[in-house]
Amino acid sequence: MNDSVTTPAKTLPDAQIVTAVRHWTDSLFSFRVTRPRTLRFRSGEFVMIGLLDDNGKPLLRAYSIASPSWDEELEFYSIKVPNGPLTSRLQHIQPGDQIILRPKPVGTLVLDALLPGERLWFLATGTGIAPFASLMRDPETYERYESVVMMHTCRTVAELEYGRQLVDGLRDDPLIGEYAHKLKYYATTTREASHRMGRITDNLTSGKVFADLGIPPMDRATDRAMVCGSLAFNIDVKAVLEGFGLREGANSEPLEYVVEKAFVGDGV
Ligand code: FAD
Ligand code: A2P
């Protein structure tokens, strides 16, 4: 049986070819596609991608580009939503299939949206790690900051695996290897026992993450943060960051932290 999905006609100007697919769990997968030669983006931005629906109309959703801006291909990290209009189809893509990619990158999770600082925090739940998968592989991140902390929280250990393998690979990466010592990776689970547990909000407010990593608490003078998770997570983390004195910035007004939704949630 051919599992391939309905793909755009070859003449479609925004079609890209799938080059690799990897399934991480029943509900998570990543894939790589060819990159339009004219596409320029800043690490951390997102684009609209999708497939044609049964009526031949584009079915598009926002996706963070998980690969860094220097990569010759594009990588994405995706949820599989049961009965989700796009992902119930997208999860079946295979190398050689085509997807639609609108080459108009946008987003707030970019280095230019923050004031200069010493330490940069990436705070993510679930697929919210995707923009940081890009930024963690961009040399500019480490040229701008003395240290980087990646906090990623999921319910289970298996859901952390994409991020864990990515971080593990940085040490041997020809471009990033020399900076890998600057990155501290702090991954936790909340619903399965593991080496480190707890919500990002709790580990920040209790001071556990600072104690575990042997680093000083957050301070507006030195620390910058980028946040990407569910709406509830983003709201709660914002309150924690404001508690440390950090203020929310934007591309137009860089300050100490920026936020993006990892997805538009139920009823939001
Ligand atoms: P939809 O109808 O879009 O979603 C159905 C429901 O599924 C949502 O109401 C929500 O409750 C849940 N849901 C959707 N996406 C997620 C998710 N990622 N994690 C947990 N629950 C979810 N998704 C990714 O998988 N990877 C990305 O890099 C990514 N980047 C995004 C960037 C932005 C700025 C935004 C706004 C969304 C992003 N999304 C990402 C979500 C994506 O746009 C789609 O919602 C997702 O692909 C599901 O599409 P769907 O048509 O199957 O279901
Ligand atoms: P928890 O298991 O305690 O709810 P989800 O799968 O529901 O999107 O959640 C992904 C991760 O984000 C889970 O580990 C979850 O922890 C955590 N999380 C969900 N909501 C919040 C929140 N408001 N503040 C901090 N962490 C959250």
Side-chain angles (χ1 to χ4, degrees), residues 125-126 153-155 189-191 199-201 230 232-233 236-237 263:
T125 57
T153 298
C154 293
R155 296 180 179 198
T189 56
T190 50
R191 303 199 190 186
R199 287 181 161 202
I200 287 172
T201 41
S230 63
F233 170 75
D236 289 350
V237 172
F263 59 92

Side-chain angles (χ1 to χ4, degrees), residues 46 61-64 77-79 81 84-87 127 130 260-266:
F46 68 88
R61 293 286 185 270
Y63 268 81
S64 295
Y77 180 50
S78 181
I79 190 89
V81 179
L86 179 64
T87 56
T127 59
E260 195 124 78
K261 282 200 272 291
F263 59 92
V264 181
D266 298 306

Side-chain angles (χ1 to χ4, degrees), residues 55-208:
N55 301 316
K57 289 207 181 114
L59 176 56
L60 300 173
R61 293 286 185 270
Y63 268 81
S64 295
I65 302 174
S67 46
S69 53
W70 53 262
D71 199 328
E72 56 189 37
E73 291 184 341
L74 298 174
E75 183 174 309
F76 297 96
Y77 180 50
S78 181
I79 190 89
K80 305 174 197 174
V81 179
N83 302 317
L86 179 64
T87 56
S88 56
R89 296 157 173 263
L90 192 67
Q91 63 181 283
H92 299 296
I93 53 168
Q94 295 173 8
D97 286 342
Q98 297 181 42
I99 67 156
I100 305 166
L101 189 149
R102 297 271 190 256
K104 293 194 178 64
V106 287
T108 57
L109 302 179
V110 292
L111 295 170
D112 286 340
L114 295 172
L115 292 175
E118 293 174 14
R119 190 169 56 176
L120 178 59
W121 295 78
F122 295 143
L123 309 176
T125 57
T127 59
I129 196 172
F132 308 131
S134 173
L135 283 155
M136 279 192 286
R137 291 185 276 188
D138 191 332
E140 200 180 341
T141 302
Y142 306 97
E143 282 157 9
R144 290 199 190 197
Y145 291 91
E146 287 167 21
S147 65
V148 178
V149 184
M150 175 75 244
M151 292 184 81
H152 187 208
T153 298
C154 293
R155 296 180 179 198
T156 65
V157 172
E159 291 168 334
L160 292 170
E161 191 59 14
Y162 170 77
R164 195 189 66 73
Q165 288 196 21
L166 189 148
V167 170
D168 261 7
L170 293 183
R171 272 192 300 266
D172 301 321
D173 186 301
L175 205 59
I176 302 300
E178 63 173 300
Y179 303 111
H181 66 280
K182 289 191 168 195
L183 177 68
K184 292 181 166 60
Y185 175 58
Y186 195 89
T188 59
T189 56
T190 50
R191 303 199 190 186
E192 182 186 1
S194 73
H195 166 57
R196 282 202 171 119
M197 296 192 63
R199 287 181 161 202
I200 287 172
T201 41
D202 294 338
N203 286 326
L204 284 170
T205 45
S206 69
K208 186 172 189 306

